[in-house]
Amino acid sequence: MTYPLTTSRLRWLLPGLALLFCLVLPAQDIRTTWWNKDNKQSEGPIRDTLPHGEWKYWYPDGKLWSQGTFDMGERSGVWKFWYENNALHKEMNYTSGDYREWYPGGQPKVQGHIVASRNLGIWKHYYPDGQLEEELIWKDGKREGPVKKYHPNGKPSFLSTYSNDSLNGAAVWYYDNGALEMEGFLKNDLQDSLWTFYHANGQTGSKGRFMAGEQEGHWIYYYDTGEKWKEGEFSRGQRQGKWITWYESGRKDHEGPFLNDLEHGFWQSWYENGRLKDQGHFEMGRMDGKWEGWYPDGKKQYIVHYQKGQRHGLASWWYDNGLQKSSGAFERGEKNGRWTEWYLSGHIKEQGGYRMGVQHGRWVYYDDRGIISREQTFKDGRPEGYWAEYYANGKKKSEGSYLENFKHGKWSYWDQDGKLLYGIVFDKGKKIKEVKP
């Protein structure tokens, strides 16, 4: 039995149909974000909280940065990107199609192809002048097969092979003059097995083995003239055991052991004439204990004691004529205690005390003939207490005292013959009065 669609029934049915239509349509609105009140950051439609449809993005200054389509939160179809100078940066099809990228000046930078959202086929990279920089093959979104890179002058810079998106097998690098730079084997992007490095003139620079990207075993390094430079062992990328370094002449430069890539144990170095230069101990990369040094003619240059990399204990230096230059002690890297310095002639230059790196107590200074020129006392590096200065003939020139780094009390002044000239009374550096003899 059927019922005619009367006006009254239609009025009852229409609100229900309208409600049903609203339920079927997807919820969608325009979402806008802002850099500031004047400039948009992004704008596009939202469906079920996800970007869906055409979206635009802008730089903070209002210039368009990118434009393209989303499909429920995923980029889809053709997208374009621009530089801030409004030049097209890149254009790509996230689903299937060409990928192209340009330099800010408009020159091609990258060309390739995308299928099912994955890179596929031959991709090429270019220098700004149009010269080919790199050529490689993609398969199912992974790099696969030979890869070639070129210097700006067009000569090859690198040759190897990708397997499962990683470099594997033989690999060769070249200088821009066409000469070999290095060659070896790669395993999952890491250096492995035997490697050889070359100087630009073609001479071998170094050779040894890698294991999982770290130097391993015996390595030898060479000067660009072909002579051996240094030699030693690696373990997991760290120097271990005895290492030796040579001058180009073939004479030994220095020698000593490493532990976990740090100098550890007794080390020696030599001048190129074969004479000993320095010797002493390291403790895990820090100088420790007694160290000695010599001049090229064999005369002693210094004896210094160290503790954990800092000068600590007695220390002495000599001039190359064999006469002493300075002598004193250190504590935790700072001069501490009594110190003396000499002129090259052998006369004492100055003598006094230090307290943890600053002058402290009585100090006496002499000219190069050994005649006293000044004596004074310090407190924590500042003049404090008695102070006197002398003429070259040994007669006193002036005398007084310091208080808290200021002249204080009566100061007296004499001429070279010893005649008192005048006196001045100070109060912490301020002149109070002059006293006549």
Side-chain angles (χ1 to χ4, degrees):
M1 187 176 194
T2 59
Y3 297 92
L5 190 59
T6 63
T7 302
S8 60
R9 287 194 179 99
L10 184 60
R11 284 198 300 268
W12 171 84
L13 184 60
L14 283 176
L17 290 173
L19 176 62
L20 179 62
F21 182 73
C22 291
L23 292 174
V24 171
L25 280 177
Q28 183 167 299
D29 65 277
I30 300 299
R31 178 72 53 83
T32 304
T33 62
W34 300 82
W35 288 107
N36 51 53
K37 65 183 182 65
D38 297 318
N39 293 321
K40 294 179 182 179
Q41 183 180 26
S42 64
E43 185 175 76
I46 295 290
R47 177 183 292 181
D48 296 337
T49 73
L50 297 174
H52 186 79
E54 184 173 316
W55 273 71
K56 291 182 179 181
Y57 294 82
W58 291 269
Y59 287 104
D61 62 1
K63 294 178 180 178
L64 187 62
W65 170 57
S66 63
Q67 181 177 1
T69 303
F70 281 100
D71 184 2
M72 297 307 294
E74 299 290 335
R75 293 181 190 267
S76 177
V78 176
W79 274 76
K80 291 183 178 182
F81 299 81
W82 288 267
Y83 289 105
E84 285 192 83
N85 67 357
N86 294 322
L88 189 59
H89 180 193
K90 56 186 175 181
E91 182 178 82
M92 57 189 300
N93 191 316
Y94 276 87
T95 308
S96 293
D98 290 332
Y99 176 100
R100 292 185 296 171
E101 189 173 341
W102 295 268
Y103 286 100
Q107 311 93 322
K109 185 177 182 180
V110 183
Q111 291 181 349
H113 198 70
I114 296 173
V115 174
S117 301
R118 295 181 178 181
N119 293 2
L120 183 70
I122 297 175
W123 279 60
K124 294 182 179 182
H125 299 248
Y126 299 89
Y127 288 106
D129 64 357
Q131 172 64 47
L132 184 62
E133 181 181 6
E134 181 181 14
E135 186 176 42
L136 68 161
I137 300 171
W138 290 81
K139 184 178 180 180
D140 295 330
K142 295 181 179 181
R143 291 165 293 183
E144 195 77 30
V147 55
K148 299 178 182 179
K149 293 185 179 182
Y150 301 87
H151 288 289
N153 64 6
K155 292 189 176 183
S157 66
F158 172 68
L159 301 175
S160 191
T161 303
Y162 278 104
S163 177
N164 197 30
D165 210 34
S166 297
L167 290 168
N168 285 277
V172 183
W173 280 260
Y174 298 90
Y175 289 104
D176 59 8
N177 64 0
L180 274 174
E181 183 179 1
M182 54 182 153
E183 60 180 340
F185 291 85
L186 294 168
K187 186 175 182 180
N188 296 327
D189 289 334
L190 298 177
Q191 291 167 297
D192 201 80
S193 303
L194 181 64
W195 276 74
T196 305
F197 297 79
Y198 301 90
H199 293 288
N201 65 1
Q203 291 282 357
T204 299
S206 61
K207 59 183 179 181
R209 303 185 72 84
F210 280 91
M211 182 179 292
E214 296 181 322
Q215 289 173 282
E216 186 73 26
H218 193 71
W219 275 76
I220 304 176
Y221 296 78
Y222 301 89
Y223 289 102
D224 60 8
T225 50
E227 290 81 11
K228 191 184 292 186
W229 172 32
K230 59 185 178 181
E231 181 176 21
E233 301 289 325
F234 280 96
S235 177
R236 296 181 179 180
Q238 296 184 325
R239 289 168 291 183
Q240 304 285 357
K242 185 171 75 173
W243 275 73
I244 304 174
T245 300
W246 291 269
Y247 291 102
E248 283 189 74
S249 63
R251 289 184 178 270
K252 197 177 291 186
D253 183 348
H254 56 268
E255 175 183 53
F258 281 91
L259 179 62
N260 299 334
D261 215 37
L262 297 172
E263 297 94 337
H264 186 77
F266 184 65
W267 276 76
Q268 290 181 300
S269 66
W270 293 265
Y271 290 102
E272 198 165 1
N273 65 9
R275 289 185 180 274
L276 193 59
K277 183 180 182 182
D278 307 276
Q279 67 178 24
H281 284 81
F282 282 97
E283 182 74 23
M284 296 306 294
R286 297 186 295 185
M287 300 168 84
D288 199 77
K290 181 182 178 181
W291 275 77
E292 299 176 272
W294 293 265
Y295 287 103
D297 63 0
K299 290 188 177 70
K300 182 76 74 175
Q301 185 180 22
Y302 70 87
I303 297 177
V304 180
H305 289 80
Y306 288 84
Q307 186 179 80
K308 296 180 179 179
Q310 293 183 319
R311 291 172 177 174
H312 187 84
L314 297 176
S316 296
W317 282 265
W318 288 265
Y319 289 105
D320 58 7
N321 64 1
L323 296 178
Q324 193 146 24
K325 183 179 182 181
S326 62
S327 179
F330 287 92
E331 184 172 345
R332 299 192 300 275
E334 302 287 354
K335 289 182 177 180
N336 198 57
R338 188 172 179 81
W339 273 78
T340 305
E341 290 195 23
W342 289 266
Y343 288 102
L344 185 61
S345 63
H347 293 300
I348 292 178
K349 183 179 183 180
E350 58 187 53
Q351 195 171 53
Y354 281 94
R355 178 187 283 178
M356 296 308 293
V358 296
Q359 290 172 292
H360 189 82
R362 183 172 181 265
W363 274 77
V364 183
Y365 301 85
Y366 303 86
D367 63 21
D368 57 6
R369 299 169 301 155
I371 306 299
I372 187 170
S373 62
R374 187 173 85 248
E375 58 180 321
Q376 69 180 99
T377 54
F378 289 89
K379 182 179 180 181
D380 297 327
R382 301 191 304 175
E384 182 77 13
Y386 184 72
W387 190 97
E389 188 177 10
Y390 299 85
Y391 288 107
N393 62 7
K395 291 187 180 293
K396 192 173 289 185
K397 183 178 182 180
S398 61
E399 181 182 62
S401 294
Y402 278 89
L403 179 64
E404 297 177 358
N405 204 31
F406 294 102
K407 287 182 177 181
H408 188 75
K410 184 180 178 180
W411 279 66
S412 300
Y413 300 86
W414 293 268
D415 66 15
Q416 297 188 45
D417 296 323
K419 181 182 177 181
L420 182 62
L421 298 174
Y422 59 91
I424 298 177
V425 178
F426 292 92
D427 183 11
K428 288 190 175 181
K430 183 179 180 181
K431 183 178 178 180
I432 302 301
K433 64 179 180 178
E434 186 172 326
V435 181
K436 295 183 179 181

